[in-house]
Amino acid sequence: LSAPTDPKRPRPRPSASRVLHLGLPPGALASRILTVGDPARAALLASHLTPRPQDKGRLFIHSSSRGFTTYTGLFLSTPISIISFGMGSQMIDFLVRESRDVAPPGPIIIISYGSAGGLKPTVPVGTCVIISQSVNVTRNSDHWTSGKGTPYNISLPVPANPRLTSHIYSQVKQSSPCVLGESATTCSFYSSQARTDGNFDDRNTTLISQIQKKANPTSMEMESFHLLDLARSTRGQNRIASGSAVVVVANRVTGEVVEGRKLAEVEGRVGVALLRAVCGVDLGEIWEGEDLNDG
Ligand code: R1P
Ligand code: URA
């Protein structure tokens, strides 16, 4: 590892020029990033890109040893990167911080695109939810240790960037069933999403109604909160604006599950709409009216 000698770039790197977990050198990323969990979804989206002039006729692709795959190319002449990260907030933490280190100077946008469980009977599977804000639902281990507090903590909501969100929503609704809604982001697919399992003492049988008392989520997934929370913490001219879109694959209230062919079709259509949205948004307007200097 190279020593973190530059105070503006305090993170260690595997070599002087590549960030540690994404494995990317400066210049490999665009300022517009669409991020997905599933590598196959990333490859599908990347099939709509053409190479940048500097990549000599081949799309830039890098798979890191830590499970990130990055594609950088052009969509309708605009540079964009698509990054697959696997699952969970910890991977989003690497992705956001290290992308920020190697992206071009200036504003950055990151939109995540995933699948989710549905929490409203009125929102059928196959619907795209554009996330306006998210709460974080985390297992509170102290409750098991001391018997105090509640088994799960439910945070206050963190909003997505409002301009980006309304831009994404207006693009996606042109081609797909789509609603604006809140999300509950969880630390587990199992315990904190209220899936019961007799092999584990999860104390989660009333968790969905507890979440619904404190928030008004339409969907439940595992990354949006951390993306929105980290993005709103960025400072200065290279501030990150973030948004999130999910397709409901299983409704946790009605038990409805999306059929495979329908999911593939919706995923493809929403994906193209998001590529248009990410590339069509004016980076100069995302933070309009806000003071970028005081973070
Ligand atoms: C769990 O199966 C995974 O599915 C959802 C959740 O956020 C979690 O990452 O997202 P993806 O479909 O993007 O993987
Ligand atoms: N992703 C999740 O995190 N939960 C679901 O129920 C479906 C997809």
Side-chain angles (χ1 to χ4, degrees):
L1 297 180
S2 61
T5 47
D6 178 350
K8 289 193 190 128
R9 297 203 177 281
R11 282 181 274 289
R13 296 178 173 214
S15 71
S17 60
R18 286 178 182 264
V19 285
L20 195 54
H21 303 90
L22 297 185
L24 300 173
L29 269 190
S31 302
R32 299 163 193 267
I33 298 169
L34 184 56
T35 186
V36 299
D38 181 0
R41 193 180 304 139
L44 182 74
L45 291 167
S47 69
H48 296 282
L49 307 189
T50 55
R52 299 176 299 180
Q54 64 265 42
D55 294 325
K56 302 192 174 73
R58 298 183 63 165
L59 203 60
F60 174 89
I61 306 177
H62 179 76
S63 289
S64 82
S65 59
R66 293 296 189 159
F68 295 92
T69 297
T70 302
Y71 300 82
T72 298
L74 306 176
F75 181 76
L76 305 176
S77 311
T78 301
I80 179 170
S81 293
I82 295 164
I83 309 178
S84 70
F85 62 83
M87 287 181 273
S89 294
Q90 288 176 340
M91 294 298 272
I92 287 291
D93 197 77
F94 291 120
L95 187 154
V96 174
R97 292 178 191 275
E98 294 186 11
S99 294
R100 171 67 185 67
D101 276 355
V102 288
I108 298 165
I109 60 175
I110 304 181
I111 293 179
S112 71
Y113 174 34
S115 64
L119 291 174
K120 288 197 189 281
T122 50
V123 176
V125 296
T127 306
C128 179
V129 183
I130 308 299
I131 292 172
S132 55
Q133 59 180 20
S134 175
V135 295
N136 201 24
V137 181
T138 49
R139 188 176 170 102
N140 173 21
S141 60
D142 285 355
H143 174 80
W144 276 260
T145 308
S146 70
K148 296 194 179 132
T150 50
Y152 295 87
N153 292 326
I154 303 165
S155 77
L156 294 170
V158 170
N161 178 283
R163 281 174 190 262
L164 195 51
T165 300
S166 65
H167 181 71
I168 304 169
Y169 177 61
S170 63
Q171 280 290 335
V172 175
K173 78 171 184 203
Q174 288 174 29
S175 62
S176 305
C178 176
V179 295
L180 266 176
E182 300 177 20
S183 189
T185 301
T186 64
C187 63
S188 165
F189 182 77
Y190 298 106
S191 63
S192 48
Q193 287 195 15
R195 290 187 167 90
T196 52
D197 176 348
N199 294 310
F200 290 86
D201 172 18
D202 282 329
R203 306 181 196 178
N204 61 356
T205 49
T206 59
L207 180 57
I208 288 190
S209 59
Q210 285 167 35
I211 296 169
Q212 284 167 333
K213 260 188 219 140
K214 188 145 182 208
N216 184 24
T218 300
S219 60
M220 208 176 211
E221 41 69 46
M222 294 181 62
E223 295 87 12
S224 299
F225 178 88
H226 198 61
L227 172 61
L228 306 184
D229 186 32
L230 261 192
R232 67 144 177 199
S233 309
T234 55
R235 298 174 175 191
Q237 301 297 334
N238 290 39
R239 194 178 273 189
I240 298 173
S242 72
S244 181
V246 291
V247 173
V248 175
V249 294
N251 192 305
R252 297 296 309 286
V253 184
T254 62
E256 187 193 16
V257 176
V258 74
E259 186 259 319
R261 206 170 326 147
K262 178 173 181 184
L263 178 60
E265 192 225 316
V266 173
E267 268 192 333
R269 252 188 297 126
V270 172
V272 171
L274 289 174
L275 285 169
R276 282 186 200 284
V278 174
C279 290
V281 74
D282 184 336
L283 290 183
E285 286 181 1
I286 286 295
W287 295 112
E288 212 163 70
E290 299 199 33
D291 178 359
L292 297 186
N293 292 316
D294 63 6

